[in-house]
Structures are given as structure tokens and as C-alpha cells.
Amino acid sequence: QVQLVESGGGLVQPGGSLRLSCAASGLILDYKTIGWFRQAPGKEREGVVCIEGRDGRPYYADSVKGRFTISRDNAKNTVYLQMNSLKPEDTAVYYCATDPSLRLCTYYSSYYLYWSQGTQVTVSS
């Protein structure tokens, strides 16, 4: 049984930082394409970051470029999302997702089979 367990969300002031973790069991994340998505209240889920399985190339949505960084720790079978210079508009529930058959990055959520439970990130003073 594949599980993606996410942690690291919370409340942070504007300009602050958080690091989200996405740990997998039942699936090796190495060479897998991993996406990070978020969903704010009243809005559709949007993809913000993706790391491609075949070469580890990261892709960032314009809204987070220069502030968010995705990384892997294959020894821990975990993917991280470092979020810096957080803004109130980053407030959302964040999810990591993957699919063993997905080779290229995409922000279409329907391409991802496995999802984490989601973690709340709130940016507020």
C-alpha cells in the first residue's frame, strides 16, 4: 500500500519560511516525478512545483519562482518543499503527489495517482 505522508505546515508571518516534507512508504520516490499542489479556500487546486523523475529537473510556477525550492533525500525516501519569503496569498492546503507512470512534469492533477493527506499553510500577521 502506497502512502505519502506530509508534514511541516503551520502558521507563519509574511516573509517567513516553512519546509514541507513528503515521505513515502510502499513506493520508492527516486526517479519518480513528484508534484506539489495547493488549494486555497474557494479556489481550484493548482500545481506550484514539480520535479521530474528522469533527470531531477525542477519546474516552478511563476507565483513561487525564486521563493520555493524542491529537493529530494533518496536515503529518506522523502521530498521537501522549502518555502521562503512567504506571502498571505500562499495560504492554502498543500499536497504532494506522484504517479509511477508519470515521466514528465505536469500540473494536471488527474495525472497523479497517489496524494498526500494535505497540510495547512497559513501566512498571516
Side-chain angles (χ1 to χ4, degrees), residues 27-124:
L27 179 72
I28 304 298
L29 292 183
D30 195 11
Y31 296 109
K32 299 294 190 299
T33 294
I34 311 293
W36 283 94
F37 293 78
R38 67 186 182 187
Q39 187 165 18
K43 295 187 176 181
E44 292 189 354
R45 187 173 297 185
E46 64 169 343
V48 291
V49 184
C50 183
I51 186 166
E52 213 152 73
R54 60 177 181 172
D55 59 6
R57 180 176 178 179
Y59 295 85
Y60 299 93
D62 289 342
S63 58
V64 305
K65 198 171 295 182
R67 301 187 297 121
F68 289 14
T69 303
I70 189 170
S71 63
R72 297 179 186 262
D73 184 336
N74 292 330
K76 295 183 178 179
N77 207 29
T78 299
V79 175
Y80 301 97
L81 182 64
Q82 178 67 43
M83 305 185 295
N84 298 328
S85 302
L86 283 161
K87 304 175 181 180
E89 51 263 43
D90 294 318
T91 295
V93 177
Y94 284 71
Y95 303 87
C96 60
T98 189
D99 188 304
S101 65
L102 190 59
R103 296 174 60 82
L104 303 178
C105 273
T106 177
Y107 290 142
Y108 287 103
S109 59
S110 60
Y111 281 81
Y112 293 83
L113 178 61
Y114 301 113
W115 290 81
S116 66
Q117 81 281 13
T119 190
Q120 177 69 46
V121 171
T122 302
V123 185
S124 176

